[in-house]
Amino acid sequence: MSTMTDAPPPSQPPPPAPPAITAYDVRRAFGEVRAVDGVNLEVRHGSVTALIGPNGSGKTTLLLMLAGLLAPDTGRITVAGLDPASSAIARSRIGWMPDSFGTWDSLTALEVLTTMASAYRISKEAGTARAWDLLRTVHLEEFAGAPAHTLSRGQKQRLGMARTLINRPAVLLLDEPASGLDPRSRVDMRVLLRELAREGCTVLISSHVLSELDEMVDDAVFLSRGRTVSSEALLSTTSSRRRWRLRSLDGERLRQWAFAAQIPLFPDSDAPPGGASVLIELPDEQSAAHVLASAVRADVPVSSLAPVGGLLEQAYLSLDADRR
Ligand SMILES: Nc1ncnc2c1ncn2[C@@H]1O[C@H](COP(=O)(O)OP(=O)(O)OP(=O)(O)O)[C@@H](O)[C@H]1O
Ligand SMILES: [Mg+2]
């Protein structure tokens, strides 16, 4: 007979993994320019996190420091629990993809990868197998024998991604990896990064294509003039006044309904042609459902109601910062 004491102890949830990347009060100047001027961040293990900010806000400088390729003036950085500037072990766990690549002389695409594999002391046989695997992953098998410098920009970018993955990094630092990629390759990259995250890899990715990041990332870190802006604060203020585009086949009826229902309308300067289009501010999806139901009840011929831009784009536009 089984008794309470026979029952297995209740399983404890595993303790949360420490953040894969941390930076505390990190600063780096180039002469008079304070490129990174007080960055604080913690990137969750196994997450895909966006690094977002205007031109010159310090993204590349920060990524270089996280990759251990540039020393901070002050502050503390850890990647996989170690300081990347002083730890070769930390650097061996990092995959760094710069925003542009140097020339690869006359190496073929396959040789670029096998050379990288041998730099990581992977055996010749395993390195070649891994190189072919990655060429398949980025759909470049047919270019294996082509000199890398003859590849198109987008193909080079994909080869660069394969090169970054050769050592199965635990942490991926990607600086605008999607620039130059065609729509199909962008989708492939999104799928690949989500898959890597599922396998436990942590991804920090900078990009200006916010709609793309919206669909891919778990978290976002915003930089403005070298400083991190609290993303929670940013996203909550942004989402509390999110704009939606309401389109109707009959502009007059739309305005009459909005007046009667006391819903303020904003002019839609980017309205697509045809029909009538206005913007309204709504706090959440539930309010959107109510507004839609109310308009339909009032016989407004609504053709669509959808948020304008993604959350990240709205947060970005609300950044109190300009380009430099
Ligand atoms: N090696 C350098 N020497 C001097 N100034 C630099 C150097 N690298 C970066 N800077 C300056 O530091 C600031 C941040 O540059 P950084 O390249 O980090 O910006 P970014 O956010 O990556 O911009 P972008 O979106 O254009 O790639 C800029 O004002 C830039 O001019
Ligand atoms: Mg940059």
Side-chain angles (χ1 to χ4, degrees):
M1 202 180 89
S2 89
T3 63
M4 287 294 283
T5 48
D6 293 329
S11 61
Q12 298 282 324
I21 305 173
T22 66
Y24 300 115
D25 201 26
V26 170
R27 291 164 202 267
R28 169 73 200 215
F30 297 103
E32 296 290 289
V33 181
R34 297 203 295 243
V36 168
D37 194 26
V39 159
N40 290 286
L41 59 84
E42 291 186 349
V43 176
R44 276 191 299 128
H45 176 85
S47 70
V48 180
T49 298
L51 180 60
I52 297 171
N55 291 142
S57 55
K59 301 179 298 295
T60 298
T61 308
L62 174 62
L63 287 170
L64 283 168
M65 290 192 281
L66 298 178
L69 299 169
L70 181 71
D73 295 333
T74 59
R76 280 179 298 126
I77 290 175
T78 65
V79 175
L82 300 161
D83 175 2
S86 61
S87 163
I89 297 174
R91 285 196 297 278
S92 72
R93 293 184 188 160
I94 295 171
W96 159 242
M97 180 166 169
D99 57 354
S100 61
F101 296 93
T103 53
W104 283 308
D105 300 319
S106 54
L107 291 186
T108 65
L110 180 66
E111 286 164 350
V112 165
L113 299 183
T114 51
T115 306
M116 196 68 183
S118 63
Y120 279 107
R121 301 179 188 285
I122 299 171
S123 75
K124 193 158 185 254
E125 196 178 324
T128 306
R130 176 89 180 130
W132 276 109
D133 267 357
L134 287 169
L135 284 175
R136 271 189 290 277
T137 302
V138 298
H139 304 289
L140 284 177
E141 309 106 290
E142 62 176 299
F143 296 96
H149 70 263
T150 66
L151 299 180
S152 77
R153 179 165 131 82
Q155 290 163 343
K156 277 189 188 139
Q157 201 74 357
R158 274 146 55 196
L159 181 61
M161 174 66 100
R163 187 179 69 160
T164 304
L165 294 175
I166 202 93
N167 59 323
R168 299 179 195 278
V171 174
L172 267 183
L173 304 171
L174 310 174
D175 200 4
E176 314 224 12
S179 65
L181 296 188
D182 62 30
R184 175 79 251 166
S185 306
R186 284 169 182 260
V187 174
D188 286 347
M189 191 190 72
R190 222 158 56 205
V191 171
L192 174 64
L193 293 182
R194 287 300 340 167
E195 207 171 284
L196 288 164
R198 217 173 14 254
E199 290 165 5
C201 183
T202 304
V203 182
L204 183 62
I205 171 174
S206 87
S207 169
H208 291 291
V209 189
L210 301 181
S211 53
E212 196 163 73
L213 291 178
D214 248 333
E215 295 180 28
M216 160 167 63
V217 301
D218 306 297
D219 294 320
V221 172
F222 291 84
L223 278 191
S224 170
R225 295 186 167 268
R227 290 166 189 259
T228 26
V229 182
S230 155
S231 53
E232 292 87 5
L234 205 58
L235 285 169
S236 65
T237 54
T238 312
S239 52
S240 68
R241 47 188 173 76
R242 197 168 191 200
R243 288 197 166 192
W244 293 60
R245 173 173 289 126
L246 178 61
R247 284 169 64 70
S248 161
L249 302 178
D250 184 338
E252 200 40 48
R253 209 178 292 173
L254 171 65
R255 269 177 281 279
Q256 282 167 1
W257 157 76
F259 183 76
Q262 299 191 326
I263 295 173
L265 301 180
F266 299 88
D268 187 1
S269 50
D270 289 333
S277 188
V278 292
L279 299 178
I280 50 182
E281 280 188 351
L282 296 170
D284 50 33
E285 305 245 336
Q286 203 170 13
S287 320
H290 284 137
V291 162
L292 184 60
S294 152
V296 170
R297 268 198 308 274
D299 281 336
V300 180
V302 176
S303 57
S304 69
L305 173 66
V308 180
L311 267 183
L312 289 178
E313 184 176 87
Q314 299 216 356
Y316 180 91
L317 293 176
S318 75
L319 268 185
D320 182 25
D322 28 30
R323 285 157 293 183
R324 63 177 177 182

